[in-house]
Amino acid sequence: MSTSTRTLVLLSGLAAVSTLSTTIILPSFPAMAGDLQAAPQEMALTLSSFFLVFAAGQLAVGPLSDRYGRKPLILGGLLLFILGSLLGAVATDLGTMVAARVIQATGVCAASVLARAVARDLYDGALLAKALAFIMVAMAAAPGFSPLAGSLIDSQLGWRSSFVLVAAVGALLALSYALVLGETHAPEARSTAKPGSVLTGYLQLLGDRRFALPAMAVSLVIGGLYAFFASAPAIMIGGMGYNSVQLGLFFAATVLVVFSAGILAPRLAQRWGAVSVALAGSLLALTGGVAQVLLYDGQALTTFSLAICLFLAGMGLINPLGTAITLQPFGDRAGLASALLGFLQMAIAALGTWLISAVTLPPALTLGALLSASALCALGAFFAYPLSRAAQPA
């Protein structure tokens, strides 16, 4: 079976819509706070509530899809996401907005986590790596372009239009999924596991180093990506004097690095092997993190761009290949494995963004330390992976 462009675009959209719905509203926080009669710092509740529900929801969605199929979870989740988005568009107070974000997260977590599971249903080996490369690039691209789009929408149409836009995207994805893919998890392949055994299944995955090592490597570099997005405003606006539009343009430019590395990753993996290329990506990301630590004091845009581009290039290699390595041995539990991987990614992303604000060191130095630590741990995980694969039969 070959990967069709239409299928890849659809899966990428399903994976990216959750990030789009969050990062597109970031430039609108001041206007939203005024309209909702909330303090600016209280707007953080719209993020923390979303991430908390999104992370936890994935743990339920994965096993439910393994038992009942992907289609009802994806279509039902997108419908809930649309309703939450429309509620956000008409919210007049912070409590309603937080409720809207919770509803959005409850619905969209299914689309995000099951995009990877559907890819595992459809593809194997090199084709799986190719499909996941497109999906991971889309997930990385969404926070690059959407803040710029959000600032333009806010200035021309108002922040409520951003919620209407993401509701329309959700409707388009639901229609496309129903027409293009439908159910990909055959009834004879479905799990009959009861709720009590789901927890056991998660614990078994965490105890299997074939899953745990690459899953943690991917999650750590994703955490580094979100730490970059969380710290860039303080570094570039507060430290270098750039404005929000220039920051949005910088985010958009960094997407080209992630996109190029993500597209290149499966081609390199076919020649040198996925683990070897992931190791090289870890070294590249580590170089960027160390460069950020060494160059943070009085940093200019050129040195900041150099360090970040090195890290993002490494992340762009690690993300699709590490995800494919993580899911490859667990085709019979693709939903469960994808859900746990998604939970780990969101949990570590939440930790990384919290550390950016909690640590009292300069944001540029904190970012460099987090990028270095995440890349170093990823390097160790991929280095140990061949030993775990030999020790535990597939």
Side-chain angles (χ1 to χ4, degrees):
M1 180 186 296
S2 62
T3 54
S4 72
T5 301
R6 185 172 59 175
T7 299
L8 292 177
V9 170
L10 176 56
L11 292 178
S12 298
L14 290 172
V17 67
S18 61
T19 307
L20 170 68
S21 67
T22 293
T23 53
I24 198 171
I25 63 174
L26 294 180
S28 303
F29 270 11
M32 291 172 64
D35 289 347
L36 300 175
Q37 299 181 340
Q41 63 269 25
E42 289 180 320
M43 295 307 298
L45 289 172
T46 66
L47 298 180
S48 57
S49 59
F50 184 94
F51 287 137
L52 179 63
V53 174
F54 186 90
Q58 293 183 83
L59 296 178
V61 164
L64 284 174
S65 77
D66 281 342
R67 184 167 188 175
Y68 298 109
R70 319 297 187 207
K71 183 178 179 179
L73 273 297
I74 291 176
L75 293 182
L78 286 173
L79 176 60
L80 199 58
F81 172 73
I82 293 167
L83 294 175
S85 300
L86 293 177
L87 178 61
V90 299
T92 56
D93 59 80
L94 183 60
T96 303
M97 178 58 69
V98 170
R101 293 288 288 158
V102 167
I103 295 171
Q104 277 188 314
T106 303
V108 81
C109 69
S112 181
V113 69
L114 294 183
R116 294 187 296 264
V118 169
R120 183 62 188 83
D121 292 339
L122 296 174
Y123 308 118
D124 201 353
L127 289 179
L128 176 62
K130 179 182 177 182
L132 289 173
F134 275 87
I135 293 171
M136 297 302 108
V137 166
M139 292 181 71
F145 286 114
S146 54
L148 181 60
S151 64
L152 295 175
I153 292 171
D154 185 31
S155 64
Q156 299 299 316
L157 302 173
W159 62 266
R160 297 183 187 277
S161 298
S162 294
F163 282 90
V164 175
L165 175 62
V166 297
V169 171
L172 179 62
L173 287 171
L175 180 62
S176 300
Y177 180 84
L179 295 177
V180 174
L181 282 181
E183 185 56 68
T184 60
H185 192 41
E188 61 271 16
R190 293 178 189 176
S191 169
T192 58
K194 293 188 166 80
S197 63
V198 170
L199 177 60
T200 302
Y202 281 132
L203 293 175
Q204 287 175 343
L205 285 172
L206 287 174
D208 191 328
R209 289 180 294 173
R210 296 173 301 162
F211 176 90
L213 289 173
M216 288 304 298
V218 172
S219 300
L220 284 164
V221 295
I222 289 293
L225 174 69
Y226 278 95
F228 158 59
F229 282 118
S231 61
I235 295 171
M236 293 188 62
I237 296 177
M240 300 180 189
Y242 292 96
N243 60 40
S244 59
V245 175
Q246 291 170 320
L247 175 64
L249 290 171
F250 180 78
F251 281 154
T254 60
V255 172
L256 298 176
V257 178
V258 179
F259 180 82
S260 300
I263 295 300
L264 192 60
R267 300 180 184 179
L268 295 175
Q270 284 184 323
R271 183 168 184 177
W272 285 294
V275 176
S276 296
V277 177
L279 277 168
S282 302
L283 285 171
L284 194 60
L286 179 59
T287 302
V290 171
Q292 179 61 22
V293 170
L294 297 177
L295 301 173
Y296 86 93
D297 192 18
Q299 193 170 39
L301 181 61
T302 51
T303 54
F304 181 60
S305 299
L306 173 64
I308 292 303
C309 286
L310 286 171
F311 179 85
L312 293 180
M315 190 217 74
L317 295 175
I318 294 168
N319 201 3
L321 298 181
T323 302
I325 292 168
T326 303
L327 299 181
Q328 182 64 47
F330 305 102
D332 59 329
R333 292 169 282 168
L336 199 73
S338 184
L340 185 56
L341 175 60
F343 172 80
L344 291 172
Q345 289 176 348
M346 293 306 300
I348 294 179
L351 177 62
T353 53
W354 175 77
L355 286 173
I356 288 294
S357 61
V359 175
T360 57
L361 296 173
L365 178 57
T366 303
L367 175 63
L370 289 176
L371 298 184
S372 300
S374 66
L376 183 61
C377 291
L379 179 66
F382 284 122
F383 184 80
Y385 179 77
L387 299 177
S388 70
R389 185 173 53 182
Q392 293 181 263

